[in-house]
Amino acid sequence: MTYLTSWEDFAKAAERLYLADPMKVRFIMKYRHCDGKLVVKITDDQVCLQYLTEHAQDVKKIEKLTSLLMRHMASKEK
């Protein structure tokens, strides 16, 4: 599996993947303290998108993406 290098590309692709079929999408975050790396993964078992970061300021971006996906989950629109 390859990692997307641009956060903007990852965030847009993740939102599109979620909106395509919300019931199949999984969102996973994994942090390894010994490496200081955070991996964000979103998949629907057909497409797998991953983003790897070592920078603390990227946590704010991940928080914004998570809240955007949560708003989609909470809304009644399709």
Side-chain angles (χ1 to χ4, degrees):
M1 290 183 270
T2 59
Y3 293 94
L4 291 167
T5 55
S6 167
W7 172 257
E8 290 77 21
D9 293 341
F10 175 78
K12 288 178 187 175
E15 185 177 9
R16 273 188 265 124
L17 186 65
Y18 175 79
L19 292 174
D21 193 356
M23 294 305 290
K24 288 189 176 183
V25 172
R26 292 189 314 272
F27 182 79
I28 301 112
M29 285 190 298
K30 182 166 73 171
Y31 177 70
R32 288 185 43 96
H33 182 72
C34 60
D35 298 335
K37 295 181 180 178
L38 177 66
V39 177
V40 181
K41 176 179 170 182
I42 188 162
T43 182
D44 67 354
D45 292 331
Q46 302 295 319
V47 178
C48 181
L49 306 170
Q50 290 183 316
Y51 182 76
L52 173 72
T53 187
E54 298 175 351
H55 306 290
Q57 64 263 23
D58 286 344
V59 173
K60 211 51 159 162
K61 295 176 186 175
I62 294 168
E63 185 180 347
K64 285 182 183 179
L65 175 64
T66 305
S67 68
L68 174 69
L69 292 175
M70 292 295 281
R71 274 182 280 168
H72 283 306
M73 291 175 198
S75 72
K76 293 185 180 186
E77 294 179 7
K78 209 145 199 276

